[in-house]
């Protein structure tokens, strides 16, 4: 019985010591596009830290900057670019600083394939939100087009929640350095702005309701690991 207990104790000690070596610190940058209503490439970049719990599991945090670039265009008869007789166009460009706790699970003998999930809050770093509404009216003197564009930047939400999932491949650059390639999918449960949402008393039949994009991003980076 004693030899078995000793063997188990040594096994746990070895695993614990190995996990202590698995500390990863990295930096990354990249860009992404929204799956709907995308306007331009949205840049991102930040730092990533992870601490090994055991041979395969890590917990940590990522702190990063993320842009959002969206164009919502809803017009009568599926027209676009304000060619319809009535409709609504929202131009939204913002950036947020996020801090997100992160859990990852690794595969491979040297833990080169990482699958992760993160969730965190972002603070608005500035941006622009505009609302354009137009309609064509029939009057006794002929057809009249009303077309207004308003700056709605004050409606941008100061904080948003983001949930991210993805995968990272680590390519060796030496004993402790890795080149990282990440495919990230980011989801926003809430809206980036109050403009045209369900609580907006000025909303029209063409209003978006909620501007909460899903982004697909590619990130490139460099990581330092204590994994021997």
């Amino acid at each position: 019985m004693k030899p078995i207990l000793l063997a188990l104790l040594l096994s746990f000690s070895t695993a614990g010591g190995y996990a202590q070596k698995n500390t990863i610190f990295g930096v990354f940058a990249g860009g992404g596009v929204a799956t709907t209503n995308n306007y331009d490439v949205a840049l991102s970049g930040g730092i990533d830290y992870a601490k090994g719990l055991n041979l395969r599991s890590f917990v940590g945090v990522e702190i990063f900057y993320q842009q959002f670039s969206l164009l919502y265009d809803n017009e009568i008869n599926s027209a676009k670019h304000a060619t319809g007789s009535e409709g609504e166009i929202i131009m939204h460009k913002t950036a947020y600083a996020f801090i997100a706790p992160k859990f990852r699970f690794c595969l491979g003998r040297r833990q080169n394939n990482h699958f992760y999930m993160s969730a965190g809050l972002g603070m608005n770093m500035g941006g622009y939100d505009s609302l354009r509404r137009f309609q064509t009216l029939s009057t006794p003197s002929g057809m009249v087009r009303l077309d207004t564009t308003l700056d709605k930047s004050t409606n941008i939400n100061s904080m948003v929640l983001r949930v991210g999932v993805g995968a990272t491949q680590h390519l060796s650059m030496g004993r402790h350095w890795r080149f990282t390639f990440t495919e990230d999918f980011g989801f926003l449960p809430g809206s980036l702005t109050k403009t045209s949402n369900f609580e907006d008393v000025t909303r029209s039949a063409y209003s978006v309701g909620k501007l909460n994009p899903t982004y697909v991003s590619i990130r490139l980076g460099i990581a330092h690991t204590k994994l021997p």
Side-chain angles (χ1 to χ4, degrees):
M1 187 66 178
K2 289 183 179 179
I4 295 176
L5 291 175
L6 180 60
L8 289 174
L9 180 60
L10 290 174
S11 297
F12 283 121
S13 298
T14 303
Y18 187 69
Q20 290 299 317
K21 295 180 180 179
N22 295 337
T23 300
I24 302 173
F25 178 81
V27 296
F28 62 84
V33 295
T35 55
T36 58
N37 303 317
N38 187 72
Y39 176 69
D40 199 0
V41 174
L43 302 180
S44 64
I47 59 176
D48 188 12
Y49 173 80
K51 183 75 171 179
L53 293 176
N54 51 47
L55 294 177
R56 298 298 177 192
S57 301
F58 288 74
V59 293
V61 64
E62 58 180 359
I63 302 172
F64 62 98
Y65 169 91
Q66 173 71 61
Q67 293 180 341
F68 297 94
S69 183
L70 303 161
L71 178 66
Y72 173 84
D73 187 347
N74 189 20
E75 303 174 33
I76 193 170
N77 298 325
S78 300
K80 294 297 179 184
H81 310 298
T83 57
S85 59
E86 58 181 345
E88 179 172 305
I89 298 175
I90 295 176
M91 173 72 77
H92 182 94
K93 300 193 76 172
T94 53
Y96 285 80
F98 286 90
I99 178 167
K102 186 175 181 179
F103 173 81
R104 67 174 87 187
F105 182 79
C106 305
L107 296 176
R109 186 176 65 87
R110 298 187 63 81
Q111 302 174 345
N112 288 329
N113 299 304
H114 296 221
F115 301 90
Y116 65 84
M117 179 176 181
S118 65
L121 289 174
M123 180 176 294
N124 179 246
M125 303 297 289
Y128 179 70
D129 195 59
S130 70
L131 172 64
R132 180 180 180 184
R133 285 179 177 155
F134 48 89
Q135 63 180 135
T136 303
L137 304 175
S138 178
T139 69
S141 58
M143 303 300 290
V144 176
R145 183 178 174 90
L146 303 178
D147 194 332
T148 59
T149 300
L150 301 174
D151 184 346
K152 294 287 187 175
S153 299
T154 56
N155 285 345
I156 296 173
N157 286 322
S158 59
M159 299 188 73
V160 295
L161 174 66
R162 180 185 185 273
V163 178
V165 296
T168 300
Q169 290 76 49
H170 285 223
L171 304 176
S172 178
M173 297 174 59
R175 183 176 179 183
H176 295 294
W177 293 95
R178 304 287 187 270
F179 172 79
T180 61
F181 180 87
T182 300
E183 305 93 22
D184 180 83
F185 299 85
F187 311 93
L188 294 181
S191 182
L192 288 165
T193 176
K194 299 179 182 66
T195 301
S196 204
N197 70 5
F198 296 114
E199 298 177 357
D200 188 346
V201 296
T202 69
R203 61 182 282 106
S204 72
Y206 301 96
S207 297
V208 60
K210 186 161 66 171
L211 206 63
N212 59 330
T214 296
Y215 265 82
V216 180
S217 302
I218 299 297
R219 299 170 171 178
L220 304 179
I222 297 176
H224 181 271
T225 175
K226 290 185 178 180
L227 179 67

